[in-house]
Amino acid sequence: MDRQQAKIRIEELTVLLAQYQHAYYILAQPSVSDREYDRLNDELIALEKEFPDLRLPDSPTLRVGSDLSHDLPEAQHSIPVLSLDKGYSPDEIVSWIKKLEAASSVPLSFVFEEKIDGSSIVLYYEEGLLVRAVTRGNGVIGNDVTPNVKTIAAVPLRLSKKVTVAVRGEIFLAKDLFEKINTAQETQFANPRNFAAGTLRRIKSSEVAQVPLDIFVYEGFFTEPRKTHHEILDELTALRFKVNPRAAFFSDTKNLSKVKAMHSAWTVGKISDVPEFLEKEAGERGSLPYEIDGMVIKVNEIPVREELGYTGHHPRWAIAFKFESPESMTKVNAIEIQVGRTGRITPVARIEPVLVAGSTISNATLHNQEYVDMLELSVGDIVAVSKRGDVIPAVERVIEKNDSGNTTWEMPLVCPSCSTALVKRGAHHFCQNTECTDRLRGELKFFVGRDQMDIENLGPETLEVLFEKKIVLHVEDIYIFNSDALDGLPGFGEKKVNLIKEGIEKSKTRPYKTVLASLGIPDLGKKAAEILVDAGYKNIDALIQAAAKKDPELFTAIHMIGDKLAGTIISAFNDPAVLARIEKLKQAGLQFEAAEALDSGLPKIFTGQTWCVTGSFENFKPREKAMEEVKKRGGNVTGSVSGKTTHLLAGKEAGSKLEKAQSLGVVIVAEETFLKMLDEESGKR
Ligand code: AMP
Ligand code: ZN
């Protein structure tokens, strides 16, 4: 194909595909098969590759975004991009309407639209082509996010007519999609609005293209003013924009049946019907597929709008009816950072205690630096706080900046706990020092926690004392807990110490799955541990051996295990530090084999006995193998000799455990005798 032919064909395909996209995304009535669409799209991609300079600015292939990194430039608005005046009760709205009607020389009507809780955008079209998409910014200057907006399927890149128009709209993410994507990704946003706003400000438009953002437009500024808002909405629809069909029209003077005939989806009524309608909308809010935070009521007659004009803050011809919000206002007193057990750093806002939806909150997570940047938050700011999913407190947005001149808060360069330089990975900062005291604390707290090893009598305060005294710094230290260092410490009498020891002892019976999920390996929680065991990894050695092959497919072949988890399993079980810890915990007598595997069908000759092992053996290398035999036959196993120990299996070069066992009157068993015991019972079988 020569250049001239290519040019013609590219133009053809661009127009055709735009039509198909409109039919598919906006009318929800696909006009061609997916296959036909893909075929034409592929043809266009190929042509554009061959003749890159012929690619049109509204090419549908731009929807996939580009990987070019670009900082967000600024752009000036050519239309007023203001806030809205607010009313909080239907009565307020009705009196606002009545006041305007009384002052007007012409009959009025009012269009009601849902106030979409997303991210505000202005789309500038010249001669029917999208030339710029600019965020609200400060109302005068916003961020130019054109490449990002071009990835949104419902934003027309070329209009059905060559008009020059500025269109205001709201970019949003459907609630169900938000839930799905948000939980799956690394950075969590508090709500769909923040997600949409954050996505829109990404540097790479290819990342924006991954998120199924949507748009509703609600305002069009044409070069030739139109007569009514109603007319503008219809025209926007005809130009291929997505206009929210859930609108309403109220008037005491206009022909309502004519409006209803044009818009069957609209609610139509008299001004006296307004309060009932607003109550109904507030009630339906929760069942809508997208978030709304109110209704916007607009004067329909454009000439009247022009007469009314604007204040510096809002148009006088519109008002928002704000639904009662489960949000409260408060002040950010401080922003502190927490170091998690994996080293992940989380900024937390310490806020002036405030009542939100029935309970007082004084902290709210800020997730990470990106989240703080998006909020443009700093200490001293007045913020709106809510409870995400009705439980977790979240900072929604800044309502008023502080007057001490603090700009956006920034993450310190070093870990507050150990002063190691922080490293950014993905959206989060990390302290990579594995001996960082806050990380160690976190690991311990996690390990003993109720959902993991559930070690009784080793609560956070006790643990903190043991940590401070350097008695327990790592999880394996718990099992060599020596109470001598606690002597004379108030609150740590014999009774307390015995209770702690009892709790520790009891934890050794926790099943393998629990132990596996307590190791603190990222993403390897209860559920994943269960899946691995069910898939046949009945003991830790099987898992370690599989991980040693470094073949992710071994794990991804298991239903429910993805690439990410396969990766962490492989890296964790090849990490010498993790392996050393497992070894120590094994020696301590923790369960590293699933009970079903242990239930070998062998007679339970060791039931009620507690065995310990010392020295080395001919037939059991490593010596833990001997203890496996004990467990298979119903016995308990411990890592150290204590009053509870009933048997000590003593091999060559037995250590101090032997002396201790002798002094306690523990039965000492040599390797030969042990073999006989095992043999004997198999003889009985
Ligand atoms: P506020 O920021 O609370 O003053 O509310 C004004 C914002 O509401 C606008 O900047 C828009 O981003 C948003 N909005 C959402 N839906 C509409 C709508 N149908 N009409 C006007 N503004 C809307
Ligand atoms: Zn640290």
Side-chain angles (χ1 to χ4, degrees):
M1 199 181 279
D2 69 35
R3 201 181 151 80
Q4 194 48 37
Q5 285 170 320
K7 187 165 182 279
I8 293 166
R9 184 63 181 154
I10 285 175
E11 277 167 8
E12 245 171 44
L13 288 169
T14 302
V15 171
L16 204 57
L17 288 164
Q19 262 170 25
Y20 294 162
Q21 282 187 346
H22 175 249
Y24 184 88
Y25 289 108
I26 298 184
L27 305 178
Q29 284 165 340
S31 47
V32 284
S33 69
D34 289 357
R35 225 162 109 200
E36 175 67 2
Y37 181 88
D38 289 342
R39 195 181 64 76
L40 297 174
N41 200 44
D42 288 347
E43 186 186 343
L44 182 57
I45 289 171
L47 283 173
E48 287 178 344
K49 208 168 157 194
E50 203 179 330
F51 304 98
D53 58 313
L54 294 182
R55 176 191 254 185
L56 297 170
D58 65 330
S59 169
T61 60
L62 290 168
R63 300 241 193 233
V64 298
S66 106
D67 263 322
L68 287 178
S69 158
H70 57 89
D71 290 318
L72 295 177
E74 290 177 350
Q76 184 127 14
H77 286 294
S78 57
I79 56 158
V81 190
L82 301 174
S83 283
L84 288 166
D85 199 9
K86 311 271 170 6
Y88 297 88
S89 70
D91 279 355
E92 261 181 87
I93 302 304
V94 173
S95 42
W96 178 81
I97 290 176
K98 294 258 155 83
K99 225 167 69 195
L100 286 184
E101 279 185 325
S104 172
S105 53
V106 294
L108 296 183
S109 53
F110 296 85
V111 176
F112 287 50
E113 293 164 0
E114 288 174 328
K115 188 167 184 293
I116 308 293
D117 199 8
S119 201
S120 200
I121 195 82
V122 187
L123 308 169
Y124 291 94
Y125 289 83
E126 281 168 21
E127 301 277 301
L129 280 187
L130 175 64
V131 291
R132 235 171 309 113
V134 184
T135 64
R136 182 160 97 175
N138 61 14
V140 179
I141 292 170
N143 272 126
D144 186 331
V145 290
T146 314
N148 290 349
V149 168
K150 279 188 173 174
T151 71
I152 302 171
V155 173
L157 305 179
R158 179 196 290 247
L159 305 178
S160 58
K161 271 195 237 149
K162 289 193 172 174
V163 287
T164 294
V165 62
V167 175
R168 285 200 63 181
E170 197 80 359
I171 288 172
F172 64 94
L173 181 62
K175 285 192 236 174
D176 58 337
L177 295 172
F178 166 73
E179 289 298 339
K180 228 169 67 197
I181 308 172
N182 199 43
T183 42
Q185 67 164 20
E186 195 189 353
T187 324
Q188 257 98 52
F189 287 101
N191 51 47
R193 168 167 39 79
N194 291 351
F195 198 133
T199 306
L200 212 52
R201 287 159 182 76
R202 302 295 286 241
I203 298 300
K204 289 185 182 168
S205 59
S206 61
E207 289 174 10
V208 182
Q210 310 284 315
V211 182
L213 293 175
D214 207 339
I215 190 170
F216 276 135
V217 305
Y218 51 75
E219 214 72 63
F221 296 81
F222 295 91
T223 37
E224 280 296 310
R226 304 302 192 250
K227 279 207 231 33
T228 62
H229 185 62
H230 182 177
E231 197 183 313
I232 292 175
L233 293 181
D234 288 349
E235 200 163 340
L236 290 174
T237 308
L239 285 171
R240 293 181 179 165
F241 288 102
K242 195 165 165 182
V243 176
N244 188 351
R246 285 175 56 91
F249 186 94
F250 289 91
S251 172
D252 285 338
T253 49
K254 298 286 155 84
N255 184 343
L256 296 178
S257 41
K258 210 169 121 193
V259 176
K260 184 75 189 170
M262 292 175 73
H263 295 276
S264 55
W266 285 17
T267 301
V268 161
K270 301 226 168 266
I271 302 301
S272 56
D273 301 328
V274 165
E276 197 192 331
F277 170 74
L278 291 177
E279 301 290 359
K280 192 181 112 260
E281 270 285 338
E284 285 170 2
R285 174 190 194 184
S287 56
L288 294 174
Y290 43 82
E291 303 263 13
I292 64 172
D293 60 347
M295 297 295 291
V296 185
I297 298 98
K298 299 172 177 173
V299 171
N300 187 32
E301 291 70 25
I302 304 297
V304 177
R305 280 191 186 185
E306 280 169 2
E307 261 170 52
L308 288 167
Y310 300 84
T311 73
H313 172 265
H314 59 260
R316 291 200 184 88
W317 43 263
I319 191 167
F321 168 63
K322 287 280 279 184
F323 296 147
E324 217 176 285
S325 91
E327 283 184 358
S328 300
M329 274 206 290
T330 188
K331 187 174 163 186
V332 175
N333 289 330
I335 296 175
E336 287 170 13
I337 70 178
Q338 286 174 350
V339 188
R341 63 184 168 88
T342 60
R344 183 150 129 181
I345 308 288
T346 310
V348 178
R350 307 287 178 207
I351 55 178
E352 199 59 41
V354 66
L355 198 66
V356 183
S359 63
T360 302
I361 63 174
S362 44
N363 302 306
T365 177
L366 297 172
H367 306 284
N368 51 46
Q369 182 71 54
E370 285 182 12
Y371 191 83
V372 176
D373 288 347
M374 197 191 62
L375 293 170
E376 297 181 8
L377 178 72
S378 58
V379 175
D381 291 354
I382 304 294
V383 292
V385 288
S386 72
K387 280 198 285 178
R388 172 183 177 182
D390 280 338
V391 231
I392 304 160
V395 174
E396 294 289 339
R397 81 195 90 87
V398 172
I399 291 180
E400 206 182 303
K401 286 303 284 179
N402 63 86
D403 32 43
S404 27
N406 294 329
T407 50
T408 302
W409 176 87
E410 263 175 60
M411 185 74 71
L413 298 174
V414 300
C415 173
S417 167
C418 70
S419 302
T420 306
L422 298 181
V423 172
K424 191 161 185 245
R425 261 191 280 135
H428 304 280
H429 285 79
F430 287 84
C431 166
Q432 291 189 312
N433 172 12
T434 51
E435 293 297 308
C436 169
T437 47
D438 274 4
R439 285 188 61 168
L440 296 181
R441 276 196 177 92
E443 272 177 22
L444 283 169
K445 234 163 96 185
F446 175 79
F447 186 81
V448 306
R450 193 160 286 176
D451 287 331
Q452 284 76 37
M453 295 301 280
D454 190 19
I455 304 188
E456 287 162 34
N457 311 314
L458 202 54
E461 281 120 63
T462 307
L463 205 55
E464 185 56 30
V465 174
L466 300 187
F467 189 83
E468 281 299 321
K469 293 266 159 211
K470 299 202 166 40
I471 297 170
V472 173
L473 289 177
H474 302 97
V475 298
E476 55 269 27
D477 301 339
I478 293 173
Y479 295 96
I480 50 166
F481 168 57
N482 178 350
S483 55
D484 295 353
L486 289 172
D487 262 359
L489 202 73
F492 283 84
E494 204 186 321
K495 207 169 139 207
K496 166 92 176 171
V497 169
N498 283 336
L499 279 173
I500 297 175
K501 285 185 173 168
E502 239 170 67
I504 293 172
E505 208 52 42
K506 227 168 118 186
S507 76
K508 294 183 185 171
T509 62
R510 302 274 180 265
Y512 169 53
K513 280 178 198 173
T514 306
V515 176
L516 191 55
S518 303
L519 293 174
I521 292 160
D523 299 320
L524 210 177
K526 272 203 159 143
K527 181 97 200 142
E530 187 138 0
I531 292 169
L532 284 170
V533 172
D534 289 347
Y537 292 104
K538 304 267 183 237
N539 59 51
I540 198 83
D541 295 323
L543 200 54
I544 293 170
Q545 277 158 24
K549 297 196 180 119
K550 300 196 178 169
D551 176 7
E553 276 180 28
L554 274 178
F555 298 105
T556 52
I558 303 169
H559 180 57
M560 306 274 285
I561 293 191
D563 292 335
K564 196 167 160 225
L565 182 55
T568 38
I569 291 173
I570 289 173
S571 66
F573 292 106
N574 280 294
D575 176 351
V578 173
L579 295 179
R581 164 163 301 171
I582 290 171
E583 202 42 51
K584 285 181 185 152
L585 293 175
K586 243 189 201 176
Q587 278 167 27
L590 267 59
Q591 309 294 320
F592 278 99
E593 182 138 29
E596 54 262 43
L598 293 175
D599 194 7
S600 48
L602 296 170
K604 301 289 174 282
I605 52 166
F606 296 142
T607 302
Q609 303 177 356
T610 300
W611 285 70
C612 188
V613 63
T614 182
S616 60
F617 302 86
E618 283 292 329
N619 296 283
F620 304 102
K621 279 178 191 146
R623 62 190 190 187
E624 274 68 42
K625 290 223 164 109
M627 293 299 99
E628 305 277 272
E629 297 301 320
V630 171
K631 283 194 264 176
K632 278 189 207 164
R633 292 162 177 83
N636 287 324
V637 166
T638 65
S640 60
V641 175
S642 73
K644 293 219 176 67
T645 314
T646 56
H647 294 71
L648 178 71
L649 177 63
K652 264 181 263 158
E653 279 137 10
S656 62
K657 286 182 193 169
L658 183 57
E659 278 163 49
K660 187 153 185 208
Q662 279 163 338
S663 73
L664 287 170
V666 169
V667 182
I668 315 284
V669 179
E671 184 171 19
E672 234 168 289
T673 324
F674 186 66
L675 285 170
K676 271 195 199 135
M677 288 167 124
L678 300 183
D679 253 339
E680 222 169 278
E681 48 89 3
S682 50
K684 273 189 233 148
R685 269 202 294 176

